[in-house]
Amino acid sequence: MLSRVRAFVMAISHRFRMEAAMDEELRFHMEAHAEDLVRSGLTRREAERQAAIAFGAVVAVKQDCRRALGLRLFDEFAQDIRYAARGLRRNPGFGAAVALTLSLGTGATTAVFSVADEALFRPLPVPQAERLVNIFALDRKAGRYVSSSFPDYEEFRQRTTTLEHLSAYVRFQVNATVRERTDRVQIEAVTGNYFSMLRLNPIKGRVFRDTDDSAAAEPVALIHEEYWQRVFDNDPAALGKTILIEDRPFTVVGIVPRRFRGPNLNWQEPPQVWIPLRAAASVVPPFANLFNLRAPWLVMIGRLNPNYTAHQADVEFKTIAAGLAHAEPGTNRDLTAVVLGASESKFWPAYRNEIGQSIGIFALASVLVLLLACANISNLQLARALARRREFAVRVALGAAHMRLVRQILTESLLLAVPGCLVGFVIALGLQAILIRVPNAFGLPLALDLTMNDRMGVFSTAITGTAVLLFGLFPALRATRSDAATSLKESGNALSPGGDGWLRNGLVVAQICFAAILLTGGGLFARDLLRSYSIDPGLPMDHLLTATFGTPTNPALLGGFRRAQTELEQRLSDLPTVESAALARENLLSPVQGSIPVESQESGPILLQRNFVDPGFFHTVGIDIVSGRGFPTNRATGQQTFAVVNGTLAARARHGSDPVGMLMKMQGASIEIIGVARDAKYGSLWEEPKPYIYLPLSPEGPPPNYLMVRTRVAPEQMAPLIRREWERIGSHAPMYDFRTGEDLLNASLAPQRVAAGGIGAFGILALLLASLGLYSVLAYSVKQRTRELAIRAAVGARPGVVIWNVMRRSLVLAAAGGVIGIALGAAVMRVLVTRLSGLSMEGGVVFSSVAALLACMSITASLLPAFRASRINPGSALRGE
């Protein structure tokens, strides 16, 4: 972008240098000729006069020179700009209205483009990113994508000929300590060739080498530039410093530039620290066993050889995967490989359609707003251009070409587009900032890097140029094609021939139609969002607070960590502001829950979701035990031979009868059902009832990750106190992500809230623009019909009849656009209903509300023109004629 601006500035400066050189050369020749005349005996003054006569008009000579140099069009364009600037300066209200309308349309479209570009199309910020590919394993039997094992990665790396390099990585969260400060950070453990495969150079230090990725190598780490600035305060001496990752020391050897945020956006946060893959075993000891097992845990990424394509690599990897399936039928029988371009697979492939459709909704809304803005500006431009037809007729009579007049009007449009583009860019940045605050706005938490970049600037400029053609070209052609003699004969009030009415009315109907589509979509989303808040989640969400533990991955630290959790739970339970506290492995309303198959004698196998909780969980979160009992309070036994199930699982397990006392098989162990809990919402408010099982936390199993607190005061007031209590206990593991019950509900409904708010806001904006367009058409029509209305008034027409005549036209236009728009809006939402959970098409209330809103808008827009029409003085109007 900067290079293009620099080239344009250089072209302008070169133009001025040529102009100065031409002036200097003409002056030299005139002075030389005058000197010759002085030597022949003329006086200096007479010689200069004769030289001027000999050379003729300097301006004409310069124009001939410019024409010879191909600069005439440049001069005419500069002249058009000056003329357009003078005209707009005389009518600042028109210019401000056009620029603001255009900025709203281009700003919304640019913001949505930046999201779509980052999520779906933009190459990774590394050299030759178009050569990068992601390799996913596909379980053909289950129909889902899975990770790859380390032995499979080794087989692919050794056998591939289509890839120049193949790397693997795994991302997880750890506790990292620097200068007595412990943070929960995203970390990527990568193979030694990872950064050389990406061809990514650090801003300081070095990247990993193959020798760093071995069990005997010294533990080293790379840190992200943001982490370096936040934790090390931009200290240049950070290289060589030590980071404690789960109490394991790692030496910082390089700093990764800010622009690189990892090859995968599936996580809400980008990686902050990178370590060699083999070193991950020292941070997460269970990883040590995975290097020799064909268990899925790695994601693969590679760089194509120069003469190969992603399709050829896909064929090769499928062939290799087929060989592995034959050689290792126990683990690889149903697995194949899928190779996708890295720019087109920035998240798990299964989510691409869902995210693409979510972005598509906003893209459709922004395009409708842009088209509506263009239609509105076209109406304003057409009215202004038609009002200047007599001026254009005079210019044509004096010899101006029709295309020159068209170019003049387009130049005015372009001049208005410049501030519109700049303000639109600012609006786009503001919308980006809003979207960044809601990472799961599109149904999946994405680490989007929504910042200003060249692609965004080019798109904004291109969309503005397209808009200029949309709203400028047709009005320009329409206004300049009329006969000059006819235009000169017309009176001042006869601004337009009769054939222009259908065009302006059509543009208004289109605006109202676009507004109705957006209002219908936003209304349906808003109605279902309101309905979702009335859904019973199965537990009271008020006075509830949850927090996340930074659970250590080092087994040596887990004993002390569990004791600290138990002590914290006891301390909180003793506080007068706390009703109860509990610990759990999974959070409430979490879209990701652990699943496991169980079976009983009555039902057979059932796939269900599970959670490990402590005895106080049910009382704390407010889930009632409707049959049997909860878990015993004795924590020392560590037994997991009993469980509490929800009502849905109870009904399936024993076909509606009481399952208390029944045994179920889970992973080879017998589990006794001791209680039945009320059904609740576990992942989303929109989910259907699903089987769920609660198991007791075991001292031998993984520790709980979440704290639940039922408070007697406002829950947000308890977060600082809980954090202080945790720090007093002395655990080095951080506690973070405090959320109230309301926060959990809002996070679960984030996609619906963003869709309802975003499309609803677009709809209100479209309604305002449509009302402005309708008002301009009616006001223009009243001015055009001044003579007719004056005659009507002179022969006795009552003001009320005149007012109704104007308002009737407004209502007809609104009705035409509203009917078409509501029908299209319903059709579009019916297509989207297959993806949008809980979106019902029983939208009679929404449709009638949109119709009523459009009717109110049309009446409001027509009031002022109607009253002006009713107050026309016949004598003054006819004398003006």
Side-chain angles (χ1 to χ4, degrees), residues 78 80 94 189 201 278 294 325 332 350 378 432 453 612 642 775:
D80 289 342
F94 168 79
N201 296 320
R278 291 283 182 180
R294 293 190 181 273
N332 290 55
S378 292
Q432 285 181 342
N453 55 72
F612 292 86
F642 47 82
Y775 166 78

Side-chain angles (χ1 to χ4, degrees), residues 448-509:
L448 297 175
D449 181 22
L450 301 181
T451 55
M452 188 184 305
N453 55 72
D454 287 358
R455 293 165 68 91
M456 182 177 169
V458 171
F459 178 83
S460 181
T461 304
I463 201 69
T464 303
T466 304
V468 168
L469 291 177
L470 286 176
F471 69 70
L473 184 58
F474 191 78
L477 294 173
R478 182 69 190 89
T480 58
R481 73 181 183 183
S482 58
D483 180 67
T486 303
S487 299
L488 289 172
K489 291 177 183 177
E490 288 178 351
S491 62
N493 286 332
L495 296 176
S496 172
D500 292 315
W502 70 268
L503 174 60
R504 305 203 69 210
N505 291 341
L507 289 173
V508 170
V509 170

